[in-house]
Amino acid sequence: MSRIATCVWSVDGRLLLALDERLGPPVDSYVNGTQSWLTDDGPGGATLEWRLHPVAGYRIPRGMSHYDLWEQTIAAYSRDPDGNAIDLGAERRALDTLWEGLECFAAYDDDLEPAVLAHAASDALQRAPDHAGLVDHDRIGTAWEHSGGSLSIVAMLVRELRGEGAPP
């Protein structure tokens, strides 16, 4: 079992705006709803990967492309950072129907201590993570894939970070 340092934040409009302001647009937007960034400002020059994880059972808003989701969401939260439901494509959607958590970890298996990663990630976003520690990415990824996306990646991460054991 390979465990890596990971930080997790719960998602709200202000976190999305901090991501956009400090990291810019995602380097990749996936059909499954995931948004990702790479930054080269980690401890000791480590590349950090940031993943905004979709909710379990995610579906894209009608009338949208996964490439447009980030820009339209940021535009809406720029107008009202504390809003909940926003207009996206042909739907009005609550944020908790899109993403549920942001994760940060060393992109290329650099061996970082959780506290060191949490400090660097906090500096990058100007917001401390809600959880930090060690997780088994392989086990969580396999469980998520086998569920067809019906399990929550964030819930599995948090469960491990709290020491509550393996994913269901």
Side-chain angles (χ1 to χ4, degrees):
M1 172 173 66
S2 174
R3 293 169 52 90
I4 65 165
T6 299
C7 297
V8 174
W9 293 256
S10 297
V11 172
D12 60 38
R14 292 189 185 277
L15 178 68
L16 298 181
L17 292 174
L19 276 167
D20 193 59
E21 178 183 328
R22 299 187 193 306
L23 305 185
V27 294
D28 218 339
S29 298
Y30 296 87
V31 172
N32 71 12
T34 302
Q35 308 291 315
S36 65
W37 295 259
L38 294 171
T39 60
D40 291 325
D41 55 357
T47 298
L48 299 181
E49 184 164 344
W50 305 78
R51 286 188 190 168
L52 188 59
H53 290 292
V55 298
Y58 168 85
R59 70 170 181 77
I60 190 142
R62 279 187 325 274
M64 288 198 71
S65 158
H66 61 284
Y67 294 116
D68 302 327
L69 181 61
W70 179 256
E71 289 175 4
Q72 288 191 27
T73 302
I74 291 303
Y77 280 103
S78 293
R79 291 186 298 275
D80 182 8
D82 296 314
N84 182 29
I86 57 175
D87 293 322
L88 293 170
E91 296 182 47
R92 186 153 182 85
R93 295 280 290 270
L95 183 55
D96 64 5
T97 69
L98 302 171
W99 300 292
E100 67 178 330
L102 172 68
E103 177 187 17
C104 178
F105 57 94
Y108 304 114
D109 296 327
D110 289 317
D111 190 21
L112 299 177
E113 291 295 321
V116 172
L117 174 64
H119 181 75
S122 295
D123 283 351
L125 285 185
Q126 296 298 295
R127 182 169 168 170
D130 299 320
H131 306 278
L134 297 171
V135 299
D136 182 342
H137 264 182
D138 291 336
R139 183 173 57 207
I140 290 171
T142 298
W144 183 78
E145 287 174 5
H146 286 169
S147 79
S150 67
L151 291 177
S152 164
I153 291 174
V154 173
M156 290 187 283
L157 289 168
V158 169
R159 183 176 172 88
E160 277 204 31
L161 292 170
R162 288 182 176 161
E164 296 173 2

